[in-house]
Amino acid sequence: MKTRLTFLGTGTSQGVPIIGCTCAVCRSKDPRDNRLRSAVLVEFAGRTILVDAGPDFRQQMLREGVRHLDAILLTHNHRDHTGGLDDVRSLNYIDRHAAEIYCEENVLEDLKGEYPYAFQYPKYPGAPEWRIHLIENKPFTIPPADRDRELQWVHDKGYCYRNADGTTEPVSPDIIDRAVAPGEGEPAILPIRGIHGQLPVLGFRFGDVAYITDMNVLPDAERNKLQGLEHVTLNTVGYHRHHSHFSLDEALVLAGEIGARHTWLTHLSHAFPCYDAFCEEIDRRCAELGVRTVVRPAWDGLVIAGKEEPLPRR
């Protein structure tokens, strides 16, 4: 059983190319220089998990042919990470289940303001169906979907639950609960607490693969959770010190301290050169900084995988 991670988007909040920009990166024909907003698809412990659903969610799902998600994890409450959540309506219809969204309480409060129609009862017909699972900086697991409670689209009513006798009932307004702590031997998702400017955010570790984006501070206590990784992703948006993201040198130094076998840079802007030149620059800066781990910019569509992991004991 391997953890498998697909980069759906590796760009900043504006993406690359940026509207109206004529720089060499924004005009590049190399597909590795064209970046949608940052998100990843993770296959872990038999689950298909999306981390963040930004404004490019629809395009990313279509490109990867996704028809089912076991969960959507949200790192924080900025629009470039939550702006596509309305489009889960298509998966509600195809998969016949509410979208299982895992987030912190402050993220939930912002979602209520951004998507009030998703929390109203009774709902406007056609509103997305979500079930919110509140998480903290503690390990959690994603249980299998309840296949006894399927959604059915009813004209002019919206989604209802279909009962075994063929009747339907409205979806309950109680759509918020707490994430489930893992049982003994059960694969766990491990949150990684960081700071994004003044905002507490989360990264996530899945086995020997960790995804970290939108941070400029990673406390020492959290770094202890990142030992023995095969892959780690870190964010950087430019060369200079930034109020809410790592600079390139900060990301490279942190990569060396974490010591994963492979480090992938994401949330990249057009401030960096085109892909091949950027790789050469990273190698040069790593040599100057004494960073020995392999560091490369990620690109949209890149797939990475952890090592084989033992199945949990039943």
Side-chain angles (χ1 to χ4, degrees):
M1 180 177 61
K2 289 184 178 180
T3 299
R4 188 173 183 268
L5 183 151
T6 302
F7 288 92
L8 302 176
T10 55
T12 61
S13 59
Q14 296 186 82
V16 181
I18 292 176
I19 294 172
C21 184
T22 59
C23 76
V25 175
C26 287
R27 290 185 289 109
S28 173
K29 301 302 182 184
D30 187 336
R32 295 173 298 181
D33 293 326
N34 294 313
R35 304 181 183 279
L36 299 177
R37 269 63 74 92
S38 291
V40 294
L41 190 69
V42 181
E43 296 166 65
F44 172 69
R47 305 286 187 262
T48 301
I49 302 164
L50 175 70
V51 182
D52 288 335
D56 299 317
F57 170 80
R58 175 180 175 276
Q59 184 176 350
Q60 292 163 343
M61 295 297 97
L62 289 171
R63 188 186 70 203
E64 299 300 326
V66 175
R67 293 176 58 88
H68 168 76
L69 292 172
D70 290 293
I72 299 173
L73 313 187
L74 299 179
T75 59
H76 64 297
N77 54 1
H78 285 169
R79 287 282 291 175
D80 57 320
H81 296 261
T82 64
L85 284 172
D86 181 80
D87 284 325
V88 302
R89 291 178 295 151
S90 299
L91 294 177
N92 292 154
Y93 187 80
I94 294 294
D95 202 38
R96 294 184 179 275
H97 281 86
E100 310 285 351
I101 298 176
Y102 289 71
C103 66
E104 294 191 274
E105 194 156 6
N106 67 307
V107 178
L108 169 61
E109 293 308 310
D110 275 10
L111 293 181
K112 289 179 179 178
E114 291 178 24
Y115 300 98
Y117 55 91
F119 296 90
Q120 291 171 350
Y121 187 78
K123 286 187 177 180
Y124 173 81
E129 291 295 341
W130 303 342
R131 179 169 293 279
I132 307 293
H133 306 263
L134 293 176
I135 58 176
E136 302 175 44
N137 190 10
K138 298 177 181 179
F140 64 94
T141 190
I142 296 171
D146 182 2
R147 289 293 165 183
D148 293 330
R149 298 287 282 173
E150 289 193 344
L151 292 176
Q152 179 173 327
W153 176 256
V154 179
H155 181 66
D156 284 341
K157 291 185 179 180
Y159 288 106
C160 297
Y161 280 126
R162 182 176 59 189
N163 299 317
D165 62 3
T167 61
T168 61
E169 61 181 277
V171 175
S172 168
D174 182 17
I175 60 170
I176 300 170
D177 58 19
R178 294 278 172 180
V180 177
E184 184 178 357
E186 190 174 11
I189 298 170
L190 185 63
I192 310 296
R193 169 66 74 208
I195 304 298
H196 179 42
Q198 300 298 317
L199 179 68
V201 299
L202 291 176
F204 299 100
R205 177 170 180 163
F206 308 89
D208 59 0
V209 177
Y211 180 69
I212 293 173
T213 186
D214 285 50
M215 293 184 188
N216 66 321
V217 175
L218 182 63
D220 289 342
E222 299 302 295
R223 299 186 192 197
N224 295 332
K225 300 177 182 179
L226 300 173
Q227 303 301 307
L229 289 171
E230 185 73 8
H231 298 277
V232 65
T233 76
L234 299 173
N235 75 101
T236 179
V237 298
Y239 295 102
H240 303 295
R241 189 174 183 86
H242 192 275
H243 67 278
S244 61
H245 291 275
F246 294 122
S247 69
L248 177 60
D249 282 0
E250 287 172 336
L252 296 180
V253 169
L254 180 56
E257 293 171 352
I258 293 171
R261 291 189 64 185
H262 305 274
T263 300
W264 301 95
L265 302 179
T266 192
H267 212 283
L268 299 166
S269 76
H270 67 166
F272 299 118
C274 293
Y275 191 86
D276 289 331
F278 191 24
C279 289
E280 294 176 2
E281 183 173 34
I282 289 171
D283 288 344
R284 183 171 60 253
R285 291 300 299 143
C286 282
E288 293 171 355
L289 294 167
V291 176
R292 300 185 181 278
T293 187
V294 177
V295 182
R296 282 290 177 266
W299 66 87
D300 294 17
L302 170 67
V303 178
I304 59 176
K307 294 180 178 179
E308 292 285 350
E309 301 164 13
L311 290 169
R313 294 180 179 178
R314 295 187 180 276

